[in-house]
Amino acid sequence: MFYREAGDFKASYVEDSQTFPIKFDRYRYYAVLALAFGVIPFLVNDYWVNAILLPFLIYAIAAIGLNILVGYCGQVSLGTGGFMAVGAYACYKLMTAFPEISMFIHVLLAGGITGLVCVLFGLPSLRIKGFYLAVATLAAQFFLVWLFNRVPWFYNYSASGQINAPEREVFGIIITGPHAPAWATYMFCLIFLTFCAIVARNLTRGTQGRSWMAIRDMDIAAEIIGVNPMKAKMTAFAVSGFFVGISGALFFSVYLGAVEVGEAFGINKSFLVLFMVIIGGLGSIFGSFAGAAFLVLLPVVLKVVGVDMLGWPTDIVAHFQLVIVGALIVTFLILEPHGLAQLWRVTKEKLRLWPFPH
């Protein structure tokens, strides 16, 4: 079989500690990147981009950010929707105040501003945890939505209270606004997802990631062996907020184009991203991708099967979707807490051992 360690000899520490120690995994990773960057942009249309690809790319970034906080550091957060709103409104203010600056800089700065806000709301994690921290972040969710609704400065005193993304270009190609081509918006979001995934993977494999996991497993023991709880928790909140802010900025500027904070970034958005992390797998970068893909594809598949093929009413299909998601969350929490990522790991282990039983 080609999926084996036999023949993969390591001659240095760097080779032994690489992310994909098996050659087939590395080749598959390069093939996926080549397909995503070199093939899909020439094949996609508006429906595929707006219905599947853009939501997947943006939600995957948000799931990676939340997974760092919840899965790797063990800090419960129910305020993801509010923090995505921070990224969206920060990006809007930057786009309108500095139109000459590149959108890449606007999105990154929006992520940085969200990271600072997350650190501010993460301060209670130094004293409380578990259910109490969940309530604190839930309060942050409602406070941020209320703030963006009540302070006209955030939406530039618009009469409607909405924020609308102005048209912006990158290298002469429109990427925001109604005239942006589908492939350009896809490529713009794909670049940010690739960047976030690489940064997150390297952080979680290094010293910082080990300190997060030590706090998650037992914070008292981690402090005894020299891990600084304040530094670990605050960096987790900052990095998580940075990624979530980027996803919020992209969700507003590239995907929706116009946003009303209560509808786009309400409490349902926080639960949706949390469900992606739970179903995909806590403490796994791949799990963030798997959870985002599953929950983005699920309503599309149910619509095609239930509405188009079987002729069911749309409201029945929508309720059926909630039933499926709830049942899957209960099933994964009871039978497989590490989600789809663990199922993928078990499958790979069986492939490595096949046809032997042990």
mmCIF file with all atom_site columns, all heavy atoms in Angstrom, residues 201-225:
data_model
loop_
_atom_site.group_PDB
_atom_site.id
_atom_site.type_symbol
_atom_site.label_atom_id
_atom_site.label_alt_id
_atom_site.label_comp_id
_atom_site.label_asym_id
_atom_site.label_entity_id
_atom_site.label_seq_id
_atom_site.pdbx_PDB_ins_code
_atom_site.Cartn_x
_atom_site.Cartn_y
_atom_site.Cartn_z
_atom_site.occupancy
_atom_site.B_iso_or_equiv
_atom_site.pdbx_formal_charge
_atom_site.auth_seq_id
_atom_site.auth_comp_id
_atom_site.auth_asym_id
_atom_site.auth_atom_id
_atom_site.pdbx_PDB_model_num
ATOM 1   N N   . ARG A 1 201 ? -2.030 26.419 12.657 1.00 0.00 ? 201 ARG A N   1
ATOM 2   C CA  . ARG A 1 201 ? -1.354 25.130 12.778 1.00 0.00 ? 201 ARG A CA  1
ATOM 3   C C   . ARG A 1 201 ? 0.013  25.281 13.423 1.00 0.00 ? 201 ARG A C   1
ATOM 4   O O   . ARG A 1 201 ? 0.401  24.485 14.285 1.00 0.00 ? 201 ARG A O   1
ATOM 5   C CB  . ARG A 1 201 ? -1.231 24.499 11.389 1.00 0.00 ? 201 ARG A CB  1
ATOM 6   C CG  . ARG A 1 201 ? -0.537 23.152 11.370 1.00 0.00 ? 201 ARG A CG  1
ATOM 7   C CD  . ARG A 1 201 ? -1.245 22.150 12.240 1.00 0.00 ? 201 ARG A CD  1
ATOM 8   N NE  . ARG A 1 201 ? -0.569 20.858 12.231 1.00 0.00 ? 201 ARG A NE  1
ATOM 9   C CZ  . ARG A 1 201 ? -0.816 19.891 13.103 1.00 0.00 ? 201 ARG A CZ  1
ATOM 10  N NH1 . ARG A 1 201 ? -1.716 20.068 14.052 1.00 0.00 ? 201 ARG A NH1 1
ATOM 11  N NH2 . ARG A 1 201 ? -0.168 18.744 13.038 1.00 0.00 ? 201 ARG A NH2 1
ATOM 12  N N   . ASN A 1 202 ? 0.752  26.288 13.027 1.00 0.00 ? 202 ASN A N   1
ATOM 13  C CA  . ASN A 1 202 ? 2.085  26.480 13.599 1.00 0.00 ? 202 ASN A CA  1
ATOM 14  C C   . ASN A 1 202 ? 2.012  26.939 15.051 1.00 0.00 ? 202 ASN A C   1
ATOM 15  O O   . ASN A 1 202 ? 2.851  26.545 15.868 1.00 0.00 ? 202 ASN A O   1
ATOM 16  C CB  . ASN A 1 202 ? 2.873  27.489 12.762 1.00 0.00 ? 202 ASN A CB  1
ATOM 17  C CG  . ASN A 1 202 ? 3.411  26.879 11.483 1.00 0.00 ? 202 ASN A CG  1
ATOM 18  O OD1 . ASN A 1 202 ? 4.431  26.208 11.472 1.00 0.00 ? 202 ASN A OD1 1
ATOM 19  N ND2 . ASN A 1 202 ? 2.706  27.098 10.386 1.00 0.00 ? 202 ASN A ND2 1
ATOM 20  N N   . LEU A 1 203 ? 1.031  27.761 15.389 1.00 0.00 ? 203 LEU A N   1
ATOM 21  C CA  . LEU A 1 203 ? 0.884  28.182 16.779 1.00 0.00 ? 203 LEU A CA  1
ATOM 22  C C   . LEU A 1 203 ? 0.530  27.006 17.686 1.00 0.00 ? 203 LEU A C   1
ATOM 23  O O   . LEU A 1 203 ? 1.088  26.865 18.777 1.00 0.00 ? 203 LEU A O   1
ATOM 24  C CB  . LEU A 1 203 ? -0.188 29.259 16.887 1.00 0.00 ? 203 LEU A CB  1
ATOM 25  C CG  . LEU A 1 203 ? 0.198  30.679 16.481 1.00 0.00 ? 203 LEU A CG  1
ATOM 26  C CD1 . LEU A 1 203 ? -1.022 31.594 16.529 1.00 0.00 ? 203 LEU A CD1 1
ATOM 27  C CD2 . LEU A 1 203 ? 1.295  31.224 17.393 1.00 0.00 ? 203 LEU A CD2 1
ATOM 28  N N   . THR A 1 204 ? -0.400 26.165 17.257 1.00 0.00 ? 204 THR A N   1
ATOM 29  C CA  . THR A 1 204 ? -0.844 25.056 18.102 1.00 0.00 ? 204 THR A CA  1
ATOM 30  C C   . THR A 1 204 ? 0.215  23.972 18.241 1.00 0.00 ? 204 THR A C   1
ATOM 31  O O   . THR A 1 204 ? 0.188  23.205 19.211 1.00 0.00 ? 204 THR A O   1
ATOM 32  C CB  . THR A 1 204 ? -2.132 24.442 17.548 1.00 0.00 ? 204 THR A CB  1
ATOM 33  O OG1 . THR A 1 204 ? -1.942 24.087 16.170 1.00 0.00 ? 204 THR A OG1 1
ATOM 34  C CG2 . THR A 1 204 ? -3.276 25.441 17.642 1.00 0.00 ? 204 THR A CG2 1
ATOM 35  N N   . ARG A 1 205 ? 1.160  23.884 17.302 1.00 0.00 ? 205 ARG A N   1
ATOM 36  C CA  . ARG A 1 205 ? 2.220  22.879 17.405 1.00 0.00 ? 205 ARG A CA  1
ATOM 37  C C   . ARG A 1 205 ? 3.412  23.363 18.216 1.00 0.00 ? 205 ARG A C   1
ATOM 38  O O   . ARG A 1 205 ? 4.275  22.561 18.567 1.00 0.00 ? 205 ARG A O   1
ATOM 39  C CB  . ARG A 1 205 ? 2.717  22.494 16.011 1.00 0.00 ? 205 ARG A CB  1
ATOM 40  C CG  . ARG A 1 205 ? 1.687  21.744 15.188 1.00 0.00 ? 205 ARG A CG  1
ATOM 41  C CD  . ARG A 1 205 ? 2.182  21.497 13.778 1.00 0.00 ? 205 ARG A CD  1
ATOM 42  N NE  . ARG A 1 205 ? 3.299  20.576 13.756 1.00 0.00 ? 205 ARG A NE  1
ATOM 43  C CZ  . ARG A 1 205 ? 4.495  20.847 13.274 1.00 0.00 ? 205 ARG A CZ  1
ATOM 44  N NH1 . ARG A 1 205 ? 4.751  22.051 12.801 1.00 0.00 ? 205 ARG A NH1 1
ATOM 45  N NH2 . ARG A 1 205 ? 5.446  19.940 13.269 1.00 0.00 ? 205 ARG A NH2 1
ATOM 46  N N   . GLY A 1 206 ? 3.470  24.656 18.507 1.00 0.00 ? 206 GLY A N   1
ATOM 47  C CA  . GLY A 1 206 ? 4.629  25.208 19.182 1.00 0.00 ? 206 GLY A CA  1
ATOM 48  C C   . GLY A 1 206 ? 4.440  25.373 20.680 1.00 0.00 ? 206 GLY A C   1
ATOM 49  O O   . GLY A 1 206 ? 3.517  24.812 21.289 1.00 0.00 ? 206 GLY A O   1
ATOM 50  N N   . THR A 1 207 ? 5.302  26.185 21.265 1.00 0.00 ? 207 THR A N   1
ATOM 51  C CA  . THR A 1 207 ? 5.274  26.408 22.711 1.00 0.00 ? 207 THR A CA  1
ATOM 52  C C   . THR A 1 207 ? 3.967  27.047 23.155 1.00 0.00 ? 207 THR A C   1
ATOM 53  O O   . THR A 1 207 ? 3.396  26.678 24.191 1.00 0.00 ? 207 THR A O   1
ATOM 54  C CB  . THR A 1 207 ? 6.452  27.321 23.115 1.00 0.00 ? 207 THR A CB  1
ATOM 55  O OG1 . THR A 1 207 ? 7.671  26.727 22.675 1.00 0.00 ? 207 THR A OG1 1
ATOM 56  C CG2 . THR A 1 207 ? 6.493  27.491 24.630 1.00 0.00 ? 207 THR A CG2 1
ATOM 57  N N   . GLN A 1 208 ? 3.477  27.989 22.356 1.00 0.00 ? 208 GLN A N   1
ATOM 58  C CA  . GLN A 1 208 ? 2.234  28.650 22.723 1.00 0.00 ? 208 GLN A CA  1
ATOM 59  C C   . GLN A 1 208 ? 1.067  27.672 22.742 1.00 0.00 ? 208 GLN A C   1
ATOM 60  O O   . GLN A 1 208 ? 0.227  27.702 23.651 1.00 0.00 ? 208 GLN A O   1
ATOM 61  C CB  . GLN A 1 208 ? 1.938  29.787 21.735 1.00 0.00 ? 208 GLN A CB  1
ATOM 62  C CG  . GLN A 1 208 ? 0.838  30.728 22.187 1.00 0.00 ? 208 GLN A CG  1
ATOM 63  C CD  . GLN A 1 208 ? 1.167  31.421 23.484 1.00 0.00 ? 208 GLN A CD  1
ATOM 64  O OE1 . GLN A 1 208 ? 2.132  32.170 23.574 1.00 0.00 ? 208 GLN A OE1 1
ATOM 65  N NE2 . GLN A 1 208 ? 0.384  31.159 24.519 1.00 0.00 ? 208 GLN A NE2 1
ATOM 66  N N   . GLY A 1 209 ? 1.002  26.810 21.754 1.00 0.00 ? 209 GLY A N   1
ATOM 67  C CA  . GLY A 1 209 ? -0.071 25.826 21.723 1.00 0.00 ? 209 GLY A CA  1
ATOM 68  C C   . GLY A 1 209 ? 0.000  24.861 22.889 1.00 0.00 ? 209 GLY A C   1
ATOM 69  O O   . GLY A 1 209 ? -1.038 24.465 23.453 1.00 0.00 ? 209 GLY A O   1
ATOM 70  N N   . ARG A 1 210 ? 1.198  24.473 23.288 1.00 0.00 ? 210 ARG A N   1
ATOM 71  C CA  . ARG A 1 210 ? 1.336  23.563 24.440 1.00 0.00 ? 210 ARG A CA  1
ATOM 72  C C   . ARG A 1 210 ? 0.900  24.252 25.738 1.00 0.00 ? 210 ARG A C   1
ATOM 73  O O   . ARG A 1 210 ? 0.324  23.607 26.616 1.00 0.00 ? 210 ARG A O   1
ATOM 74  C CB  . ARG A 1 210 ? 2.777  23.077 24.546 1.00 0.00 ? 210 ARG A CB  1
ATOM 75  C CG  . ARG A 1 210 ? 3.174  22.107 23.442 1.00 0.00 ? 210 ARG A CG  1
ATOM 76  C CD  . ARG A 1 210 ? 4.580  21.552 23.659 1.00 0.00 ? 210 ARG A CD  1
ATOM 77  N NE  . ARG A 1 210 ? 4.880  20.514 22.690 1.00 0.00 ? 210 ARG A NE  1
ATOM 78  C CZ  . ARG A 1 210 ? 5.438  20.733 21.501 1.00 0.00 ? 210 ARG A CZ  1
ATOM 79  N NH1 . ARG A 1 210 ? 5.745  21.972 21.147 1.00 0.00 ? 210 ARG A NH1 1
ATOM 80  N NH2 . ARG A 1 210 ? 5.679  19.745 20.675 1.00 0.00 ? 210 ARG A NH2 1
ATOM 81  N N   . SER A 1 211 ? 1.171  25.530 25.850 1.00 0.00 ? 211 SER A N   1
ATOM 82  C CA  . SER A 1 211 ? 0.715  26.243 27.045 1.00 0.00 ? 211 SER A CA  1
ATOM 83  C C   . SER A 1 211 ? -0.808 26.346 27.057 1.00 0.00 ? 211 SER A C   1
ATOM 84  O O   . SER A 1 211 ? -1.441 26.213 28.113 1.00 0.00 ? 211 SER A O   1
ATOM 85  C CB  . SER A 1 211 ? 1.352  27.628 27.112 1.00 0.00 ? 211 SER A CB  1
ATOM 86  O OG  . SER A 1 211 ? 0.885  28.453 26.039 1.00 0.00 ? 211 SER A OG  1
ATOM 87  N N   . TRP A 1 212 ? -1.432 26.556 25.885 1.00 0.00 ? 212 TRP A N   1
ATOM 88  C CA  . TRP A 1 212 ? -2.896 26.564 25.826 1.00 0.00 ? 212 TRP A CA  1
ATOM 89  C C   . TRP A 1 212 ? -3.468 25.226 26.263 1.00 0.00 ? 212 TRP A C   1
ATOM 90  O O   . TRP A 1 212 ? -4.401 25.171 27.068 1.00 0.00 ? 212 TRP A O   1
ATOM 91  C CB  . TRP A 1 212 ? -3.365 26.865 24.398 1.00 0.00 ? 212 TRP A CB  1
ATOM 92  C CG  . TRP A 1 212 ? -3.074 28.255 23.938 1.00 0.00 ? 212 TRP A CG  1
ATOM 93  C CD1 . TRP A 1 212 ? -2.818 29.351 24.728 1.00 0.00 ? 212 TRP A CD1 1
ATOM 94  C CD2 . TRP A 1 212 ? -3.006 28.716 22.588 1.00 0.00 ? 212 TRP A CD2 1
ATOM 95  N NE1 . TRP A 1 212 ? -2.596 30.449 23.950 1.00 0.00 ? 212 TRP A NE1 1
ATOM 96  C CE2 . TRP A 1 212 ? -2.712 30.105 22.643 1.00 0.00 ? 212 TRP A CE2 1
ATOM 97  C CE3 . TRP A 1 212 ? -3.174 28.112 21.356 1.00 0.00 ? 212 TRP A CE3 1
ATOM 98  C CZ2 . TRP A 1 212 ? -2.578 30.869 21.488 1.00 0.00 ? 212 TRP A CZ2 1
ATOM 99  C CZ3 . TRP A 1 212 ? -3.040 28.873 20.197 1.00 0.00 ? 212 TRP A CZ3 1
ATOM 100 C CH2 . TRP A 1 212 ? -2.745 30.244 20.273 1.00 0.00 ? 212 TRP A CH2 1
ATOM 101 N N   . MET A 1 213 ? -2.900 24.146 25.749 1.00 0.00 ? 213 MET A N   1
ATOM 102 C CA  . MET A 1 213 ? -3.430 22.824 26.080 1.00 0.00 ? 213 MET A CA  1
ATOM 103 C C   . MET A 1 213 ? -3.182 22.464 27.537 1.00 0.00 ? 213 MET A C   1
ATOM 104 O O   . MET A 1 213 ? -3.977 21.746 28.151 1.00 0.00 ? 213 MET A O   1
ATOM 105 C CB  . MET A 1 213 ? -2.831 21.773 25.142 1.00 0.00 ? 213 MET A CB  1
ATOM 106 C CG  . MET A 1 213 ? -3.362 21.868 23.718 1.00 0.00 ? 213 MET A CG  1
ATOM 107 S SD  . MET A 1 213 ? -2.724 20.621 22.600 1.00 0.00 ? 213 MET A SD  1
ATOM 108 C CE  . MET A 1 213 ? -1.162 21.370 22.129 1.00 0.00 ? 213 MET A CE  1
ATOM 109 N N   . ALA A 1 214 ? -2.085 22.961 28.106 1.00 0.00 ? 214 ALA A N   1
ATOM 110 C CA  . ALA A 1 214 ? -1.848 22.731 29.524 1.00 0.00 ? 214 ALA A CA  1
ATOM 111 C C   . ALA A 1 214 ? -2.896 23.426 30.384 1.00 0.00 ? 214 ALA A C   1
ATOM 112 O O   . ALA A 1 214 ? -3.399 22.854 31.368 1.00 0.00 ? 214 ALA A O   1
ATOM 113 C CB  . ALA A 1 214 ? -0.441 23.214 29.902 1.00 0.00 ? 214 ALA A CB  1
ATOM 114 N N   . ILE A 1 215 ? -3.249 24.655 30.023 1.00 0.00 ? 215 ILE A N   1
ATOM 115 C CA  . ILE A 1 215 ? -4.312 25.368 30.735 1.00 0.00 ? 215 ILE A CA  1
ATOM 116 C C   . ILE A 1 215 ? -5.642 24.642 30.572 1.00 0.00 ? 215 ILE A C   1
ATOM 117 O O   . ILE A 1 215 ? -6.437 24.533 31.512 1.00 0.00 ? 215 ILE A O   1
ATOM 118 C CB  . ILE A 1 215 ? -4.416 26.819 30.217 1.00 0.00 ? 215 ILE A CB  1
ATOM 119 C CG1 . ILE A 1 215 ? -3.167 27.624 30.624 1.00 0.00 ? 215 ILE A CG1 1
ATOM 120 C CG2 . ILE A 1 215 ? -5.668 27.498 30.749 1.00 0.00 ? 215 ILE A CG2 1
ATOM 121 C CD1 . ILE A 1 215 ? -3.013 27.844 32.099 1.00 0.00 ? 215 ILE A CD1 1
ATOM 122 N N   . ARG A 1 216 ? -5.895 24.125 29.383 1.00 0.00 ? 216 ARG A N   1
ATOM 123 C CA  . ARG A 1 216 ? -7.149 23.407 29.132 1.00 0.00 ? 216 ARG A CA  1
ATOM 124 C C   . ARG A 1 216 ? -7.249 22.147 29.982 1.00 0.00 ? 216 ARG A C   1
ATOM 125 O O   . ARG A 1 216 ? -8.295 21.867 30.572 1.00 0.00 ? 216 ARG A O   1
ATOM 126 C CB  . ARG A 1 216 ? -7.229 23.028 27.649 1.00 0.00 ? 216 ARG A CB  1
ATOM 127 C CG  . ARG A 1 216 ? -8.422 22.169 27.271 1.00 0.00 ? 216 ARG A CG  1
ATOM 128 C CD  . ARG A 1 216 ? -8.206 21.537 25.919 1.00 0.00 ? 216 ARG A CD  1
ATOM 129 N NE  . ARG A 1 216 ? -7.097 20.591 25.928 1.00 0.00 ? 216 ARG A NE  1
ATOM 130 C CZ  . ARG A 1 216 ? -6.549 20.054 24.840 1.00 0.00 ? 216 ARG A CZ  1
ATOM 131 N NH1 . ARG A 1 216 ? -7.009 20.393 23.648 1.00 0.00 ? 216 ARG A NH1 1
ATOM 132 N NH2 . ARG A 1 216 ? -5.540 19.208 24.941 1.00 0.00 ? 216 ARG A NH2 1
ATOM 133 N N   . ASP A 1 217 ? -6.164 21.393 30.075 1.00 0.00 ? 217 ASP A N   1
ATOM 134 C CA  . ASP A 1 217 ? -6.221 20.111 30.775 1.00 0.00 ? 217 ASP A CA  1
ATOM 135 C C   . ASP A 1 217 ? -6.294 20.287 32.283 1.00 0.00 ? 217 ASP A C   1
ATOM 136 O O   . ASP A 1 217 ? -7.088 19.626 32.946 1.00 0.00 ? 217 ASP A O   1
ATOM 137 C CB  . ASP A 1 217 ? -5.002 19.262 30.392 1.00 0.00 ? 217 ASP A CB  1
ATOM 138 C CG  . ASP A 1 217 ? -5.014 18.876 28.923 1.00 0.00 ? 217 ASP A CG  1
ATOM 139 O OD1 . ASP A 1 217 ? -6.106 18.884 28.327 1.00 0.00 ? 217 ASP A OD1 1
ATOM 140 O OD2 . ASP A 1 217 ? -3.936 18.590 28.371 1.00 0.00 ? 217 ASP A OD2 1
ATOM 141 N N   . MET A 1 218 ? -5.462 21.170 32.844 1.00 0.00 ? 218 MET A N   1
ATOM 142 C CA  . MET A 1 218 ? -5.511 21.451 34.280 1.00 0.00 ? 218 MET A CA  1
ATOM 143 C C   . MET A 1 218 ? -4.718 22.717 34.552 1.00 0.00 ? 218 MET A C   1
ATOM 144 O O   . MET A 1 218 ? -3.478 22.695 34.546 1.00 0.00 ? 218 MET A O   1
ATOM 145 C CB  . MET A 1 218 ? -4.961 20.276 35.097 1.00 0.00 ? 218 MET A CB  1
ATOM 146 C CG  . MET A 1 218 ? -5.120 20.461 36.597 1.00 0.00 ? 218 MET A CG  1
ATOM 147 S SD  . MET A 1 218 ? -4.621 19.021 37.561 1.00 0.00 ? 218 MET A SD  1
ATOM 148 C CE  . MET A 1 218 ? -5.908 17.859 37.124 1.00 0.00 ? 218 MET A CE  1
ATOM 149 N N   . ASP A 1 219 ? -5.425 23.798 34.780 1.00 0.00 ? 219 ASP A N   1
ATOM 150 C CA  . ASP A 1 219 ? -4.745 25.091 34.894 1.00 0.00 ? 219 ASP A CA  1
ATOM 151 C C   . ASP A 1 219 ? -3.845 25.183 36.116 1.00 0.00 ? 219 ASP A C   1
ATOM 152 O O   . ASP A 1 219 ? -2.788 25.817 36.072 1.00 0.00 ? 219 ASP A O   1
ATOM 153 C CB  . ASP A 1 219 ? -5.775 26.227 34.894 1.00 0.00 ? 219 ASP A CB  1
ATOM 154 C CG  . ASP A 1 219 ? -6.879 26.009 35.913 1.00 0.00 ? 219 ASP A CG  1
ATOM 155 O OD1 . ASP A 1 219 ? -6.882 24.949 36.563 1.00 0.00 ? 219 ASP A OD1 1
ATOM 156 O OD2 . ASP A 1 219 ? -7.738 26.901 36.056 1.00 0.00 ? 219 ASP A OD2 1
ATOM 157 N N   . ILE A 1 220 ? -4.227 24.552 37.216 1.00 0.00 ? 220 ILE A N   1
ATOM 158 C CA  . ILE A 1 220 ? -3.388 24.615 38.421 1.00 0.00 ? 220 ILE A CA  1
ATOM 159 C C   . ILE A 1 220 ? -2.065 23.899 38.188 1.00 0.00 ? 220 ILE A C   1
ATOM 160 O O   . ILE A 1 220 ? -0.984 24.408 38.517 1.00 0.00 ? 220 ILE A O   1
ATOM 161 C CB  . ILE A 1 220 ? -4.140 24.014 39.626 1.00 0.00 ? 220 ILE A CB  1
ATOM 162 C CG1 . ILE A 1 220 ? -5.388 24.848 39.931 1.00 0.00 ? 220 ILE A CG1 1
ATOM 163 C CG2 . ILE A 1 220 ? -3.228 23.947 40.845 1.00 0.00 ? 220 ILE A CG2 1
ATOM 164 C CD1 . ILE A 1 220 ? -6.226 24.288 41.059 1.00 0.00 ? 220 ILE A CD1 1
ATOM 165 N N   . ALA A 1 221 ? -2.131 22.694 37.600 1.00 0.00 ? 221 ALA A N   1
ATOM 166 C CA  . ALA A 1 221 ? -0.901 21.954 37.299 1.00 0.00 ? 221 ALA A CA  1
ATOM 167 C C   . ALA A 1 221 ? -0.046 22.707 36.286 1.00 0.00 ? 221 ALA A C   1
ATOM 168 O O   . ALA A 1 221 ? 1.189  22.711 36.383 1.00 0.00 ? 221 ALA A O   1
ATOM 169 C CB  . ALA A 1 221 ? -1.246 20.566 36.777 1.00 0.00 ? 221 ALA A CB  1
ATOM 170 N N   . ALA A 1 222 ? -0.687 23.360 35.318 1.00 0.00 ? 222 ALA A N   1
ATOM 171 C CA  . ALA A 1 222 ? 0.064  24.126 34.330 1.00 0.00 ? 222 ALA A CA  1
ATOM 172 C C   . ALA A 1 222 ? 0.813  25.280 34.980 1.00 0.00 ? 222 ALA A C   1
ATOM 173 O O   . ALA A 1 222 ? 1.970  25.561 34.645 1.00 0.00 ? 222 ALA A O   1
ATOM 174 C CB  . ALA A 1 222 ? -0.889 24.650 33.257 1.00 0.00 ? 222 ALA A CB  1
ATOM 175 N N   . GLU A 1 223 ? 0.179  25.941 35.936 1.00 0.00 ? 223 GLU A N   1
ATOM 176 C CA  . GLU A 1 223 ? 0.840  27.045 36.625 1.00 0.00 ? 223 GLU A CA  1
ATOM 177 C C   . GLU A 1 223 ? 2.007  26.548 37.463 1.00 0.00 ? 223 GLU A C   1
ATOM 178 O O   . GLU A 1 223 ? 3.046  27.215 37.564 1.00 0.00 ? 223 GLU A O   1
ATOM 179 C CB  . GLU A 1 223 ? -0.166 27.789 37.491 1.00 0.00 ? 223 GLU A CB  1
ATOM 180 C CG  . GLU A 1 223 ? 0.364  29.067 38.105 1.00 0.00 ? 223 GLU A CG  1
ATOM 181 C CD  . GLU A 1 223 ? -0.706 29.850 38.827 1.00 0.00 ? 223 GLU A CD  1
ATOM 182 O OE1 . GLU A 1 223 ? -1.843 29.334 38.941 1.00 0.00 ? 223 GLU A OE1 1
ATOM 183 O OE2 . GLU A 1 223 ? -0.409 30.979 39.267 1.00 0.00 ? 223 GLU A OE2 1
ATOM 184 N N   . ILE A 1 224 ? 1.870  25.356 38.032 1.00 0.00 ? 224 ILE A N   1
ATOM 185 C CA  . ILE A 1 224 ? 2.945  24.797 38.859 1.00 0.00 ? 224 ILE A CA  1
ATOM 186 C C   . ILE A 1 224 ? 4.188  24.513 38.016 1.00 0.00 ? 224 ILE A C   1
ATOM 187 O O   . ILE A 1 224 ? 5.319  24.733 38.460 1.00 0.00 ? 224 ILE A O   1
ATOM 188 C CB  . ILE A 1 224 ? 2.454  23.522 39.563 1.00 0.00 ? 224 ILE A CB  1
ATOM 189 C CG1 . ILE A 1 224 ? 1.421  23.885 40.636 1.00 0.00 ? 224 ILE A CG1 1
ATOM 190 C CG2 . ILE A 1 224 ? 3.623  22.761 40.199 1.00 0.00 ? 224 ILE A CG2 1
ATOM 191 C CD1 . ILE A 1 224 ? 0.783  22.686 41.288 1.00 0.00 ? 224 ILE A CD1 1
ATOM 192 N N   . ILE A 1 225 ? 3.996  24.041 36.788 1.00 0.00 ? 225 ILE A N   1
ATOM 193 C CA  . ILE A 1 225 ? 5.153  23.702 35.950 1.00 0.00 ? 225 ILE A CA  1
ATOM 194 C C   . ILE A 1 225 ? 5.690  24.908 35.177 1.00 0.00 ? 225 ILE A C   1
ATOM 195 O O   . ILE A 1 225 ? 6.604  24.754 34.372 1.00 0.00 ? 225 ILE A O   1
ATOM 196 C CB  . ILE A 1 225 ? 4.802  22.569 34.962 1.00 0.00 ? 225 ILE A CB  1
ATOM 197 C CG1 . ILE A 1 225 ? 3.733  23.023 33.974 1.00 0.00 ? 225 ILE A CG1 1
ATOM 198 C CG2 . ILE A 1 225 ? 4.378  21.307 35.688 1.00 0.00 ? 225 ILE A CG2 1
ATOM 199 C CD1 . ILE A 1 225 ? 3.439  22.009 32.878 1.00 0.00 ? 225 ILE A CD1 1
#
